[in-house]
Amino acid sequence: MKFGFPELPYEINALEPFISGKTLKYHHEKYHQVYVENLNRLIMGTKFENKDLETIIKVAEGAIFNNAALAWNHSFYFSELKTGNNQILKGTFARVIKRNFGSVRFFKEMFTGSAVSLLGSGWIWLILNQKGSMEIIHESNAGNPLRRGLIPLLTCDVWEHAYYLDYKNRRSDYLEAFWKLINWELIEKRYDDAGKESKGS
Ligand code: MN
């Protein structure tokens, strides 16, 4: 299976002033695209050639795993952001977050705290575990929770390339910006779909 390179679901400067068009273009074309191209090249002639992306993430090792996970993670990250300033977490899904974390504020603090304390490159995830409870976890480098049987709902890319042009080394400022861009309706949909899937299986 040759993997396509997904276009961004918004204009290149749609996330300004929180994430600049320059950062987004660089991130999408110099990182995401390269991971997809590497993956397509690496799987040629291997047992992964005709596998879907999630299967590759679950079983591959080394460079094939790294590029597959980074291709997936970036699609997941870019698709969950939304133009229009200050997306607010409210309604039914805010109540779900409150049930899992105590309050939306505490959830945000935990998520940001996890991002700030992660040493080096990686990803912060809101996931659903096998018991159907939410957790915030971090993964270094190309890490992806699918590999551990967890269901990803939200991710923040905390590799420096995601924010350095806009925020230099100030990862917590980037997190504040990221928070204003999250498309909560989509995260809620991911959560609802995960519930349907687990009931169906
Ligand atoms: Mn990235």
Side-chain angles (χ1 to χ4, degrees):
M1 189 183 292
K2 203 166 182 309
F3 297 105
F5 173 55
E7 300 230 337
L8 290 173
Y10 34 72
E11 297 295 316
I12 202 75
N13 54 7
L15 306 179
E16 292 188 352
F18 304 109
I19 294 176
S20 67
K22 197 173 165 188
T23 290
L24 198 58
K25 188 171 164 57
Y26 188 69
H27 197 176
H28 189 236
E29 292 176 6
K30 303 291 181 204
Y31 287 89
H32 190 183
Q33 185 165 12
V34 170
Y35 300 132
V36 175
E37 287 169 1
N38 287 347
L39 177 65
N40 284 330
R41 196 182 61 247
L42 287 163
I43 59 175
M44 247 191 294
T46 75
K47 63 179 177 180
F48 297 113
E49 199 166 9
N50 296 308
K51 295 285 191 292
D52 63 63
L53 194 51
E54 293 182 4
T55 302
I56 297 174
I57 289 169
K58 284 176 189 163
V59 301
E61 302 288 345
I64 292 183
F65 166 74
N66 287 333
N67 285 283
L70 288 169
W72 195 100
N73 293 2
H74 280 92
S75 295
F76 201 69
Y77 168 80
F78 287 130
S79 67
E80 77 196 9
L81 303 179
K82 192 179 178 183
T83 181
N85 307 342
N86 256 322
Q87 305 297 323
I88 307 283
L89 172 49
K90 58 181 184 328
T92 315
F93 194 61
R95 287 194 288 279
V96 175
I97 291 287
K98 199 175 165 192
R99 201 168 65 229
N100 279 271
F101 296 99
S103 72
V104 169
R105 193 174 140 198
F106 186 61
F107 163 63
K108 183 185 171 190
E109 281 171 10
M110 274 184 72
F111 194 93
T112 301
S114 181
V116 171
S117 61
L118 178 66
L119 196 67
S121 297
W123 302 80
I124 309 304
W125 300 86
L126 170 67
I127 59 92
L128 264 187
N129 65 24
Q130 281 99 344
K131 292 177 190 153
S133 304
M134 289 179 173
E135 289 176 40
I136 294 165
I137 63 166
H138 61 267
E139 297 272 3
S140 291
N141 303 317
N144 182 301
L146 292 171
R147 212 166 157 89
R148 295 195 259 152
L150 306 170
I151 302 173
L153 301 175
L154 168 74
T155 193
C156 184
D157 183 347
V158 297
W159 287 53
E160 272 192 353
H161 66 232
Y163 60 90
Y164 197 83
L165 290 175
D166 297 334
Y167 297 100
K168 299 294 182 275
N169 61 336
R170 301 188 310 276
R171 193 183 275 179
S172 58
D173 289 359
Y174 160 63
L175 260 291
E176 276 302 314
F178 170 78
W179 209 258
K180 297 188 171 82
L181 296 169
I182 301 167
N183 180 352
W184 289 112
E185 284 168 23
L186 177 70
I187 312 305
E188 182 172 6
K189 186 178 181 303
R190 288 173 177 172
Y191 173 76
D192 290 343
D193 290 349
K196 278 175 212 149
E197 238 170 77
S198 59
K199 272 175 206 143
S201 63

